[in-house]
Amino acid sequence: SIHKKSNGNDEPILEELRNYQLKIPQSLQNIPNWLHNVHLYENFEKLENFEKTSINNIFNSSNSITTTTTTTSKLGSSIGKFGNNNNSNNDDDNDNDIISPCCMSCQKIEFNVPRGIEYGYKNRYKNIWPYDHSRVKLTAATINNNNNSHNPPSSPSSCSSSSFIDDYFNGNFINTNSIIPNNQFTYIATQKPLSSTISDFWNIINHENIQIIINLDYEPINYFNYKEFIKLIKPIPEKTDNTKKVYLINEKIYYIQYLSWPDFSIPQDYQSFLNLINLKNEITVKYNLNKKILVHCSAGCGRTGVFITLDSLIQGIINKDNDKDKDKPEVDGEVDGEVDGEVDGEVDGVVFDVYKSSKDLIYKLIQHQRKQRISMVQNYNQFIACYEIFIKFLINHEKDYQQNQV
């Protein structure tokens, strides 16, 4: 693909890449409505500009950033500043949709990152902090069990170190159900642990009862030596190949490391990425796992966001297929707010259908994730890859359906 020519997060986007158009095979018969009119570069620019505005509002709300500052930005003010952009080639309705909150719950969000600033030494990157409203927090129990925890940073507002609880963990809860209501998986997006946060990482795994860990970073694993939690690691050779390694930890946690994805780039092989999702689904069903997944790459944003976007979309299609024998009406995908009456992917008794949505669900998923964690799907290459991998999934899905009909 043309977009593979530029991999760096800060590299200028080439003109040919700005004009890149999705290529949908003519042989693909069942195509979601929203894939017919995708404005790739324009939509990615809107995502970037909206996030920059929100982050600027956070820091501009205070004269200076100190350890005692709580910096806050309301989503509504960001919409007001960015909502007057008239450079769109889309129709008015689609443009308003793109710059609006992705769901009703997002209208109420107040963005702030005070802990991420105070606890900078726990961040792998100086510009990736977790929003406080969706932040995963260490509990008192995990903190007490953490023998390697650092002393809290000194703060004029701290009454005493004994009353100060360090609950900081650079990770966010990501729930895509307001966009894809029949995705039953929920996610924690986090950074690759630092040597100083390995104990925090495993304490979160334990406290949140995580049963699947997806590691999208191809570098050697540096956190398997935490003896306080890890008692047994068993490789699963029959599930391991040159694109992934699979382990069973403590007889209950399935760990998958995907090896074919350099940082800031895209999967080197789309099919192997889809195989990763297939494997995750397979072990979830086979071993009756709880569908709570922790995902990380290096920063826990770019590659992690691509995985969550595509996994959510694919689950929406798979679960709709599983429900098609229930003889229930289908909703057209216009789920753009809090879902009332949502039960197992149903909205008021109807089954959600990814294919019938008129809204760009990849855009909406990324927009929604960026309300929960900074820089999800971090660059334009990864943004394009979300669409191309999804098209690859649709081709496979259609072939499988046709073979099953024979």
Side-chain angles (χ1 to χ4, degrees), residues 50 53 57 74-85 99 101:
F50 186 88
T53 301
N57 285 347
K74 289 188 178 181
L75 180 60
S77 63
S78 299
I79 296 168
K81 289 187 178 182
F82 188 58
N84 294 324
N85 186 346
I99 61 178

Side-chain angles (χ1 to χ4, degrees), residues 13-54:
I13 297 176
L14 301 176
E15 185 65 27
E16 59 180 345
L17 189 55
R18 295 186 184 196
N19 298 325
Y20 180 71
Q21 299 293 321
L22 287 178
K23 297 176 178 60
I24 301 176
Q26 294 182 353
S27 59
L28 188 61
Q29 299 177 5
N30 198 6
I31 305 171
N33 297 334
W34 47 273
L35 270 183
H36 288 291
N37 190 32
V38 174
H39 302 270
L40 289 169
Y41 180 70
E42 177 184 325
N43 288 357
F44 183 73
E45 283 289 283
K46 288 180 179 179
L47 282 172
E48 290 285 279
N49 290 335
F50 186 88
E51 183 169 90
K52 289 175 183 176
T53 301
S54 297

Side-chain angles (χ1 to χ4, degrees), residues 48-93:
E48 290 285 279
N49 290 335
F50 186 88
E51 183 169 90
K52 289 175 183 176
T53 301
S54 297
I55 293 173
N56 286 338
N57 285 347
I58 289 175
F59 291 103
N60 290 337
S61 65
S62 174
N63 291 329
S64 63
I65 304 301
T66 69
T67 55
T68 60
T69 299
T70 299
T71 54
T72 302
S73 169
K74 289 188 178 181
L75 180 60
S77 63
S78 299
I79 296 168
K81 289 187 178 182
F82 188 58
N84 294 324
N85 186 346
N86 293 319
N87 296 325
S88 170
N89 294 324
N90 292 357
D91 56 74
D92 291 339
D93 180 66

Side-chain angles (χ1 to χ4, degrees), residues 248 250 349 377:
L248 178 61
N250 292 355
V377 185

Side-chain angles (χ1 to χ4, degrees), residues 30 182 319-321 323-335 345-357:
N30 198 6
N182 57 348
N319 291 330
K320 188 262 180 183
D321 287 347
D323 285 336
K324 65 184 178 181
D325 295 330
K326 294 182 180 180
D327 195 26
K328 294 180 180 179
E330 298 173 352
V331 66
D332 64 359
E334 308 304 325
V335 181
E346 300 172 21
V347 183
D348 292 332
V350 295
V351 178
F352 179 78
D353 192 344
V354 167
Y355 284 91
K356 293 185 178 180
S357 176

Side-chain angles (χ1 to χ4, degrees), residues 122-156:
K122 283 191 171 187
N123 299 332
R124 179 169 287 276
Y125 299 97
K126 63 182 180 180
N127 61 339
I128 303 297
W129 323 278
Y131 288 131
D132 213 48
H133 66 271
S134 58
R135 181 166 63 87
V136 181
K137 299 178 182 180
L138 296 168
T139 65
T142 60
I143 294 166
N144 291 335
N145 290 332
N146 185 355
N147 297 325
N148 298 320
S149 61
H150 290 256
N151 293 325
S154 59
S155 169

